[in-house]
Amino acid sequence: MSKTSTTPIRIGIVGHGNLGRGVEVAVAHNPDLRTVAIFTRRDPAGLRPQVAATPVHRIDELPAFAGKVDVLVLCGGSKDDLPVQSPELAARFNIVDSFDTHARIPEHFAAVDRAARAGGTTALISAGWDPGLFSINRVMGEAVLADGATYTFWGKGVSQGHSDALRRVPGVAAAVQYTVPVDSAVQEARSGTRAELTTRQKHTRECYVVLAPGADAQAVREAIVTMPNYFADYDSTVHFVDADELARDHARMPHGGFVIRSGNTSDAARQVIEYRLQLDSNPEFTASVLVAYARAVHRLHAMGERGARTVFDVPPGLLSPRSAEELRRDYL
Amino acid sequence: MSKTSTTPIRIGIVGHGNLGRGVEVAVAHNPDLRTVAIFTRRDPAGLRPQVAATPVHRIDELPAFAGKVDVLVLCGGSKDDLPVQSPELAARFNIVDSFDTHARIPEHFAAVDRAARAGGTTALISAGWDPGLFSINRVMGEAVLADGATYTFWGKGVSQGHSDALRRVPGVAAAVQYTVPVDSAVQEARSGTRAELTTRQKHTRECYVVLAPGADAQAVREAIVTMPNYFADYDSTVHFVDADELARDHARMPHGGFVIRSGNTSDAARQVIEYRLQLDSNPEFTASVLVAYARAVHRLHAMGERGARTVFDVPPGLLSPRSAEELRRDYL
């Protein structure tokens, strides 16, 4: 597809959970990219690549790949992996990560920026859809409609953090939590009235819970719906299911949501911008975003940019395999 | 609002039709921007600024404003004004235009680029929503979902070109044409099935026509619905109304539409990205986009960029009055 480069961009994948597997598949969809190898902390012999021919190496073999990888896509978690891996690897490689602990983004950016500048690399943090594509729409919506209100809705989708919180409740053997946007609130945001919407008005939480043997259903339900931060501020519903039903009906990872900016350009003129994602697979979509940004990072590096960047710093055209001429002619 | 600059960016507005008036109002919504003057081909004394204090000058006084304007926003038409004005003014000023004759964008880009490079200026062409925000969504949608289909729908909104075509039909005294997206086609695009949709399936055209005295309604209707390029390929409806009704119910300029990218990241996972605009006033919204890009052009120029650019070349963060630190902390 690419008219500008002939040798594919060489991608290294660090970590092979849901996200890493998604990156492997996404790279295979893009002829201008190629996976050099997957790097794992596990025993490489036990790891099954999505694409049969993909080499697998131990993560401690990475230093030997300096000069053989154009961009590393880091697929670890934001809690324990990325705060360490991103600065460490940005010292020697161009990287993309999906760091999504919102409150810690400034410190993560600073740590990665320091490492990348010292190492002469280019590092894009917090790519994905939120943070990521949703963030871009929040910024552009406000920039275009200065006088207005921005709404972000998530779901319907599985929240990993809330599912984990359910599993920590005594008496819960297994659980999945869906965040569900309230339809009337979405309509309200879309209407351009700029209503103020509370946490409870915007989302409900639906919990599918498998009880541990002998657990008291009523006590478990009460512990869930009153849990501070996670459930108490929402209308939360608890459904008790058996392990088979959970495995059969709740193993997929759909997600999505809306960013809506409604504003006025004059008293008489209401304007509404809406960005919506409907995702069958959250990790595969996130992976596809990371891969498009890996392409951009390679180009930014080739243009001489060094240090940490976010999606706010990346011109949209750099995400595309097509040349600037082609984009102007066929897509503008 | 801006934390980064203290002196406002100085905007000049060239042309004062619907778009130019919208730019004047949009600048007033942004404390980091200031309108230096409106430049017009008409008699300045006869022009009524939206903001009472805005100075008005004849367009031939522009050379005296070199060094007094940071960015000119050109608000002329794509047919006759911009092909001449954009290169001419880009030789001496940073500019933003909304050139939207799709087939001629490459030659317009080349002419403006030549002038801007020679003059050491920065010039962004074809800003607005389509071309503009819709273009960005077409490119990013395809970049993220490599395996998929893109759909653009316009409306419900007034098409100036089609309204003009109606007015050229013998027997038509006045007319307004609405382009209307077909709801079932939008649903189809959104469903992720990647259906191929024909021109006729995607949009209908609704015409509100005031007949000239003595005109034959049946002949006018026939001439409209069979008109090649404009109406023959669509299901077109003609409503005859009197001049009062046209003035009362059809004087506003609503518009909007959808860019939908649906694709698969794997066989089992359908992913849909949807970008939607619902606009009460097409010119005011377009003006607001131009103004955000004027801010970006000023910054690109300050960063040393020279020559022509499009929305594909502009990092989203540059559109915002907020600093990069603030965006990372509060919007990512």
Side-chain angles (χ1 to χ4, degrees), chain A residues 11-325:
Chain A
I11 305 292
I13 302 172
V14 181
H16 205 249
N18 288 323
L19 188 59
R21 288 195 293 274
V23 168
E24 221 198 318
V25 174
V27 168
H29 276 120
N30 286 280
D32 65 324
L33 308 176
R34 187 170 64 82
T35 300
V36 171
I38 297 159
F39 299 92
T40 178
R41 279 179 302 215
R42 290 180 276 169
D43 175 7
L47 190 146
R48 263 268 219 11
Q50 303 291 296
V51 178
T54 308
V56 184
H57 295 275
R58 294 188 59 87
I59 197 166
D60 51 23
E61 297 176 60
L62 251 174
F65 283 81
K68 295 176 185 164
V69 166
D70 293 312
V71 186
L72 285 180
V73 181
L74 309 194
C75 301
S78 294
K79 191 158 173 290
D80 300 318
D81 302 326
L82 300 176
V84 179
Q85 280 182 351
S86 295
E88 199 174 294
L89 294 174
R92 290 168 294 153
F93 294 91
N94 298 326
I95 67 157
V96 174
D97 80 20
S98 63
F99 185 79
D100 67 356
T101 309
H102 289 266
R104 298 204 159 162
I105 284 174
E107 67 186 271
H108 187 66
F109 183 88
V112 174
D113 191 49
R114 228 169 7 244
R117 286 183 192 279
T121 66
T122 314
L124 189 116
I125 67 153
S126 301
W129 61 274
D130 197 359
L133 304 182
F134 271 22
S135 319
I136 291 173
N137 279 278
R138 284 189 286 264
V139 166
M140 291 185 66
E142 187 186 274
V144 168
L145 294 175
D147 175 29
T150 301
Y151 304 85
T152 301
F153 294 91
W154 296 274
K156 183 181 175 174
V158 174
S159 159
Q160 221 47 65
H162 286 77
S163 299
D164 290 346
L166 290 178
R167 290 181 205 116
R168 289 192 297 263
V169 173
V172 171
V176 168
Q177 193 266 191
Y178 296 93
T179 305
V180 184
V182 175
D183 196 52
S184 60
V186 175
Q187 296 298 343
E188 187 77 42
R190 230 178 228 162
S191 71
T193 57
R194 297 197 219 170
E196 287 216 24
L197 298 170
T198 63
T199 297
R200 189 177 296 273
Q201 284 171 318
K202 286 177 69 187
H203 297 93
T204 58
R205 300 200 173 275
E206 284 184 25
C207 310
Y208 290 82
V209 172
V210 180
L211 287 171
D216 173 356
Q218 197 42 49
V220 167
R221 186 192 306 272
E222 193 58 25
I224 292 171
V225 301
T226 59
M227 194 190 299
N229 302 320
Y230 285 91
F231 295 100
D233 295 338
Y234 299 84
D235 290 332
S236 302
T237 318
V238 181
H239 307 276
F240 293 108
V241 296
D242 63 30
D244 290 349
E245 186 178 334
L246 195 79
R248 188 188 67 224
D249 297 342
H250 304 286
R252 298 177 67 213
M253 284 168 285
H255 221 309
F258 305 79
V259 175
I260 298 174
R261 175 74 178 176
S262 80
N264 282 62
T265 49
S266 62
D267 289 347
R270 277 189 192 165
Q271 320 272 18
V272 181
I273 306 173
E274 175 174 333
Y275 186 77
R276 180 184 189 182
L277 297 175
Q278 291 174 271
L279 310 176
D280 275 356
S281 166
N282 181 1
E284 287 185 15
F285 186 78
T286 302
S288 296
V289 178
L290 295 184
V291 163
Y293 277 96
R295 175 186 289 124
V297 162
H298 177 64
R299 291 171 169 179
L300 289 171
H301 188 77
M303 291 157 67
E305 297 209 16
R306 299 292 182 266
R309 297 289 185 274
T310 73
V311 295
F312 300 139
D313 306 309
V314 179
L318 292 189
L319 300 173
S320 170
R322 300 180 191 277
S323 71
E325 293 72 25

Side-chain angles (χ1 to χ4, degrees), chain A residues 135 142 265-266 284 331-332, chain B residues 135 142 265 274 284 331-332:
Chain A
S135 319
E142 187 186 274
T265 49
S266 62
E284 287 185 15
Y331 290 75
L332 203 58
Chain B
S135 318
E142 187 187 275
T265 48
E274 175 175 334
E284 286 184 15
Y331 290 75
L332 203 57

